């Protein structure tokens, strides 16, 4: 018995010529010779006419075709298995604050080095004339080696300055409340991919209006790419993220977090991918006299990564920007880490390159402490002008060079120790690798991209690591010690439960004057455990001070990511106590057997080398460890081609 044939859809047959006409038009209209590119991947290809790159940056057709794989199963499923697409909006049309210009002159003149316009009520830097009309055929400025590196030297002056005179209320209203970012109860912002690549099926679900908005930009103005929050996948995060959970998030980030895919391929991308392959397959280190294996997550990977950094890494340091915010940091005080790193990075001959085409990383040399001290309007409770300053700086860099726009800033990094750094850099510098003292999981710290910067309180710039060490373990008579100002909410609770309550627990407020400083150091040198309680923010210089004085750190700061977390196993040499467990603090410390305490204290001595500043950097010191954390995250976040 025969089967009746299915009726022919006459309407569909009539519409076939129309479809053929559309496909032919697509093929002829788009310059890359690939219909599928124009239909599904327009957002991935840098096209002439967009404001974020110039004609000199445009790869050839063969490069574009050869370097873009359309429906490669490896790229769309395996490589991006944990990645959720971010559509990057290149908008910037709603600018309400007048633009600020930047001067490249490194010579400082009284009152003019800031570029301030005295008539400007907000103390913003005065604008310099810069053409906004960039020709499509304009060649990018050929960067000139900075004369600043040749004149900086290494003569450190005791640049003492008064501590921040901003009250607690001003700190909070000026930063956390007025400009806090909305952090969801998931870890999407912390580990998921910012890679702009999405699968074929995901692309079909993107509306035309979204596609058009993602490439909208002014024809003649450099734009700054900022990633959107991924909302397609939610990995729950508890209210308090323990160090053990952070370790899991870090491992997950190495598998899932990838920065935005570069607009075109560079040889440095392949070098970074090769470095990642070698680190992941590092030879087993059985013994190393400089590295004590138990204090690291994986000493073999760390050693190989550090070796590759020494062999491979090249950093380009931008010379643009006026002092004192740029190129002129402090070398003493609570935020000295950013200053010492800047000085040693700019003067470094091993890692710094004058050829940006060879650079794996680009350093943005500004001081967050200077930014606040120079531009913050007292009692204004506003960071608008600070954020605007950084916006204009990035816009200038993106307009002058091609490198920012190639990766959307993903291969650029900053080092900021001031408490406000996370907020000030959360907009235009969100794609950058941010090395932050205020490394708070709840305030936008991104595992796999951002790194935790040690806060080091330098009292004398000539001898930054003097008076190291402390009493032997048997001569440490005090069980636990803390002294400090009543910043934030944790310290008052600590004193409420333990001040003058127990002779074994030396818990007090501030020790004033120079005698107080001497007593403070002596207590650290003679105590078994040093309490590192958070202040206004999660970070505290006591973490590093405890290590320098060979006192086991007891970190009481929920959601704080400890320094060099990528490689150091903090649970092997420190004690982490949840804020809610402060009433039980003594019992927690007494529950640690003497043998285990001796092991902890011995490991503190082993890790000390990673937290020392030297006037001339030495292998494995704090300068190299800061740079290594940045290198390590860039290596593991580089997307595959």
């Amino acid at each position: 018995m025969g089967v009746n044939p299915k009726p022919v859809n006459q309407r569909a047959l009539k519409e076939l010529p129309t479809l053929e006409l559309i496909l032919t038009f697509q093929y002829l209209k788009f310059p890359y010779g690939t219909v599928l590119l124009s239909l599904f991947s327009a957002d991935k290809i840098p096209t002439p006419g967009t404001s974020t790159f110039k004609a000199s940056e445009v790869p050839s057709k063969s490069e574009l075709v050869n370097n873009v794989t359309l429906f490669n199963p490896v790229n769309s499923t395996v490589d991006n298995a944990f990645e959720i697409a971010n559509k990057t909006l290149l908008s910037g049309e709603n600018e309400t604050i007048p633009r600020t210009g930047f001067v490249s002159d490194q010579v400082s003149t009284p009152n003019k080095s800031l570029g301030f316009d005295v008539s400007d009520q907000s103390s913003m830097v005065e604008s310099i004339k810069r053409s906004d009309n960039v020709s499509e055929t304009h060649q990018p400025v050929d960067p000139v080696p900075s004369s600043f590196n040749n004149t900086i030297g290494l003569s450190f002056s005791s640049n003492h300055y008064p501590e921040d005179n901003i009250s607690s209320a001003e700190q909070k209203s000026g930063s956390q409340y007025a400009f806090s970012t909305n952090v969801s109860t998931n870890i999407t912002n912390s580990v998921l991919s910012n890679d702009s690549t999405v699968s074929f099926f995901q692309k079909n679900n993107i509306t035309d209006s979204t596609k058009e908005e993602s490439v909208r930009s002014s024809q003649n103005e450099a734009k700054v790419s900022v990633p959107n929050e991924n909302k397609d996948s939610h990995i729950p995060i508890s209210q308090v993220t323990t160090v053990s959970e952070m370790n899991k998030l870090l491992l997950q980030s190495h598998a899932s977090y990838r920065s935005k895919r570069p607009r075109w391929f560079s040889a440095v991308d392949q070098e970074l991918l090769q470095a990642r392959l070698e680190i992941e397959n590092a030879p087993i280190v059985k013994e190393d006299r400089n590295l004590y294996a138990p204090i690291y997550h994986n000493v073999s990977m760390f050693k190989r990564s550090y070796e590759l950094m020494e062999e491979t890494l090249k950093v380009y340091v931008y010379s643009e920007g006026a002092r004192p915010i740029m190129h002129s940091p402090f070398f003493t005080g609570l935020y000295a880490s950013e200053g010492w790193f800047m000085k040693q990075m700019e003067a470094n001959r091993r890692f710094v390159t004058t050829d940006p085409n060879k650079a794996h990383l680009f350093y943005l040399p500004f001081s967050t402490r200077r930014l606040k001290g120079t531009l913050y309007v007292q009692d204004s409770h506003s960071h608008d002008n600070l954020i605007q300053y950084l916006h204009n700086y990035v816009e200038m860099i993106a307009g002058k060079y091609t490198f920012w726009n190639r990766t959307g800033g993903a291969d650029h990094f900053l080092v900021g120790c001031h408490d406000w750094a996370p907020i000030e850099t959360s907009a235009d510098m969100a794609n950058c690798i941010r090395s932050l003292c205020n490394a708070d999981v709840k305030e936008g710290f991104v595992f796999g991209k951002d790194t935790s910067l040690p806060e080091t309180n330098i009292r004398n710039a000539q001898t930054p690591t003097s008076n190291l060490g402390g009493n032997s373990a048997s001569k440490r008579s005090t069980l636990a010690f803390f002294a400090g100002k009543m910043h934030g909410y944790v310290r008052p609770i600590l004193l409420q439960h333990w001040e003058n309550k127990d002779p074994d627990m030396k818990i007090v407020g501030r020790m004033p004057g120079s005698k107080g400083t001497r007593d403070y150091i002596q207590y650290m040198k003679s105590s078994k455990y040093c309490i590192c309680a958070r202040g206004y923010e999660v970070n505290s210089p006591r973490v590093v001070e405890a290590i320098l004085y060979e006192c086991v750190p007891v970190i009481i700061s929920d959601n704080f990511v400890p320094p060099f977390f990528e490689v150091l196993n903090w649970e092997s040499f420190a004690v982490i106590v949840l804020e809610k467990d402060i009433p039980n603090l003594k019992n927690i410390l007494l529950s640690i057997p003497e043998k285990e305490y001796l092991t902890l204290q011995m490991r503190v001595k082993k890790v000390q080398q990673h937290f020392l500043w030297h006037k001339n950097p030495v292998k494995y010191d704090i300068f190299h460890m800061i740079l290594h954390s940045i290198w390590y995250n860039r290596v593991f976040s580089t997307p595959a081609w």
Side-chain angles (χ1 to χ4, degrees), residues 512-548:
S514 58
K515 184 179 183 297
T517 299
R518 289 195 298 272
D519 290 344
Y520 176 86
I521 293 174
Q522 283 307 120
Y523 268 111
M524 277 200 153
K525 287 174 172 283
S526 60
S527 298
K528 290 185 173 181
Y529 299 96
C530 289
I531 309 302
C532 308
R534 65 170 291 162
Y536 289 129
E537 305 296 346
V538 292
N539 47 301
S540 168
R542 289 163 185 76
V543 176
V544 174
E545 288 176 330
I547 293 171
L548 299 185

Side-chain angles (χ1 to χ4, degrees), residues 161-222:
Y161 62 93
E163 294 298 329
D164 290 351
N165 56 2
I166 297 177
S167 68
S168 173
E170 288 172 336
Q171 286 255 7
K172 290 303 178 185
S173 62
S175 63
Q176 186 173 353
Y177 296 149
F179 288 94
S180 62
T181 54
N182 294 324
V183 182
S184 62
T185 56
N186 62 76
I187 200 60
T188 303
N189 263 349
S190 297
V191 294
L192 288 181
S193 169
N194 282 334
D195 194 348
S196 62
T197 305
V198 292
S199 71
F200 166 69
F201 299 103
Q202 287 171 316
K203 262 189 196 301
N204 279 345
N205 293 328
I206 299 174
T207 64
D208 290 338
S209 59
T210 303
K211 289 182 181 179
E212 292 171 3
E213 191 175 4
S214 69
V215 297
R216 184 187 304 135
S217 59
S218 171
Q219 194 77 356
N220 299 315
E221 182 181 2

Side-chain angles (χ1 to χ4, degrees), residues 348-637:
N348 192 280
R349 294 185 178 182
R350 180 169 202 161
F351 297 110
V352 172
T353 178
T354 57
D355 183 358
N357 294 292
K358 296 180 180 179
H360 304 88
L361 290 165
F362 295 80
Y363 176 39
L364 304 169
F366 70 94
S367 164
T368 59
R369 173 65 181 86
R370 287 284 196 186
L371 182 67
K372 173 261 171 187
T374 304
L375 295 182
Y376 178 72
V377 178
Q378 192 70 23
D379 300 323
S380 68
H381 310 301
S382 172
H383 289 179
D384 283 354
N385 54 344
L386 284 71
I387 295 171
Q388 182 67 24
Y389 183 95
L390 294 182
H391 167 79
N392 294 336
Y393 172 67
V394 169
E395 188 180 56
M396 180 267 293
I397 291 294
K400 184 175 181 179
Y401 299 100
T402 66
F403 309 106
W404 176 280
N405 291 318
R406 191 182 81 86
T407 63
D411 53 1
H412 288 55
F413 73 93
L414 62 97
V415 175
C417 197
H418 195 271
D419 290 353
W420 297 352
I423 293 170
E424 294 161 354
T425 61
S426 62
D428 297 284
M429 296 180 176
N431 272 347
C432 298
I433 300 170
R434 303 180 305 164
S435 184
L436 304 169
C437 286
N438 186 7
D440 189 343
V441 174
K442 292 295 185 183
E443 291 193 5
F445 184 91
V446 180
F447 285 96
K449 181 180 74 69
D450 297 331
T451 72
S452 181
L453 176 68
E455 182 174 359
T456 56
N457 187 6
I458 304 297
R459 296 180 174 86
N460 188 330
Q462 300 299 325
T463 55
T465 52
S466 61
N467 206 18
L468 296 175
N471 297 350
S472 63
S474 61
K475 294 183 179 180
R476 291 181 176 259
S477 55
T478 303
L479 176 64
F481 167 69
F482 173 85
K485 297 179 182 178
M486 292 298 99
H487 292 165
Y489 64 88
V490 168
R491 296 180 188 181
I493 296 173
L494 181 66
L495 264 64
Q496 175 189 342
H497 285 279
W498 295 109
E499 185 178 26
N500 300 321
K501 299 290 177 65
D502 192 305
D504 292 334
M505 307 283 285
K506 181 63 176 179
I507 310 294
V508 297
R510 184 184 181 188
M511 293 180 165
S514 58
K515 184 179 183 297
T517 299
R518 289 195 298 272
D519 290 344
Y520 176 86
I521 293 174
Q522 283 307 120
Y523 268 111
M524 277 200 153
K525 287 174 172 283
S526 60
S527 298
K528 290 185 173 181
Y529 299 96
C530 289
I531 309 302
C532 308
R534 65 170 291 162
Y536 289 129
E537 305 296 346
V538 292
N539 47 301
S540 168
R542 289 163 185 76
V543 176
V544 174
E545 288 176 330
I547 293 171
L548 299 185
Y549 302 132
E550 297 171 2
C551 180
V552 176
V554 179
I555 300 175
I556 307 179
S557 181
D558 291 352
N559 301 311
F560 173 54
V561 183
F564 311 141
F565 192 70
E566 298 79 15
V567 295
L568 293 182
N569 178 12
W570 277 83
E571 291 176 301
S572 71
F573 58 86
V575 178
I576 289 84
V577 175
L578 297 178
E579 294 168 7
K580 68 180 181 63
D581 291 331
I582 288 176
N584 202 33
L585 180 59
K586 184 177 181 181
N587 288 337
I588 292 172
L589 299 180
L590 289 177
S591 70
I592 300 173
E594 182 68 12
K595 184 177 180 181
E596 185 174 340
Y597 160 72
L598 293 174
T599 299
L600 289 169
Q601 207 244 358
M602 179 269 293
R603 290 175 177 175
V604 167
K605 295 179 182 179
K606 296 289 187 182
V607 82
Q608 188 184 79
Q609 66 169 328
H610 297 319
F611 294 90
L612 301 180
W613 286 112
H614 301 281
K615 296 189 81 170
N616 295 306
V618 302
K619 192 180 183 73
Y620 295 128
D621 71 353
I622 189 170
F623 166 77
H624 287 98
M625 290 297 288
I626 294 171
L627 188 60
H628 175 267
S629 287
I630 296 165
W631 150 263
Y632 194 80
N633 276 5
R634 181 57 187 156
V635 165
F636 276 91
S637 65

Side-chain angles (χ1 to χ4, degrees), residues 22 84 88-89 93 101 114 136 158 170 237 242 265 346 352-354 364 428 494 569 571 578 607:
I22 292 173
I84 304 300
T88 302
L89 302 183
E93 300 157 0
L114 306 188
E136 285 298 329
S158 294
E170 288 172 336
I237 185 170
T242 66
F265 179 78
E346 292 189 307
V352 172
T353 178
T354 57
L364 304 169
D428 297 284
L494 181 66
N569 178 12
E571 291 176 301
L578 297 178
V607 82

Side-chain angles (χ1 to χ4, degrees), residues 34-37 40-41 44 68-72 75-76 200:
T34 305
V35 176
L36 294 177
L37 273 175
F40 305 115
S41 301
K44 289 183 58 179
V68 178
T69 305
L70 286 176
F71 300 110
N72 187 328
N75 287 346
S76 61
F200 166 69

Side-chain angles (χ1 to χ4, degrees), residues 314-362:
K314 293 300 176 187
V315 178
Y316 183 76
V317 181
Y318 287 110
S319 60
E320 288 77 11
R323 297 188 182 194
I325 296 173
M326 316 298 296
H327 311 291
S328 183
F330 290 105
F331 302 112
T332 58
L334 296 178
Y335 310 115
S337 290
E338 65 180 25
W340 277 73
F341 179 86
M342 185 187 299
K343 171 81 81 169
Q344 296 188 344
M345 185 75 261
E346 292 189 307
N348 192 280
R349 294 185 178 182
R350 180 169 202 161
F351 297 110
V352 172
T353 178
T354 57
D355 183 358
N357 294 292
K358 296 180 180 179
H360 304 88
L361 290 165
F362 295 80

